[in-house]
Amino acid sequence: MSTCSSGKRSYNNDAIAVEALIEAHVQFDYGKRSGPVAVYQCDECGQFHLTSRGSMNPKLEQYLRDGTMEKLRNASRWSAKWK
Ligand SMILES: [Zn+2]
């Protein structure tokens, strides 16, 4: 995996970056006003990074709205008890 001068973690493609974005919100309860909100392709390294600026990723927005995020968080907490 290449290193980018942005210092941000890089993801090979859009889908993986969105997965990481969702996962970040599962692990940390950012709510709607903080934390990473979207993914973008970097001009410098060509890979994808998370960003806290701009408009929210549609999938993340949907998950927060329709309760999927809450289910993922509950599942994550449940599984953590058994590790
Ligand atoms: Zn980059």
Side-chain angles (χ1 to χ4, degrees), residues 4-6 8 10 40 42-47 49:
C4 177
S5 71
S6 71
K8 292 178 172 179
S10 303
Y40 69 99
C42 182
D43 288 336
E44 192 187 320
C45 69
Q47 303 222 53
H49 303 307

Side-chain angles (χ1 to χ4, degrees), residues 12-23:
N12 289 328
N13 61 53
D14 182 70
I16 293 172
V18 171
E19 238 172 69
L21 174 67
I22 301 293
E23 183 62 22

Side-chain angles (χ1 to χ4, degrees), residues 52-82:
S52 56
R53 285 179 290 183
S55 50
M56 184 172 275
N57 176 271
K59 190 173 177 181
L60 174 61
E61 206 269 324
Q62 187 199 324
Y63 277 23
L64 287 169
R65 195 181 52 224
D66 71 6
T68 301
M69 183 59 69
E70 195 54 40
K71 284 179 197 159
L72 291 172
R73 285 193 189 121
N74 287 336
S76 172
R77 275 196 287 270
W78 191 87
S79 65
K81 288 181 191 168
W82 299 93

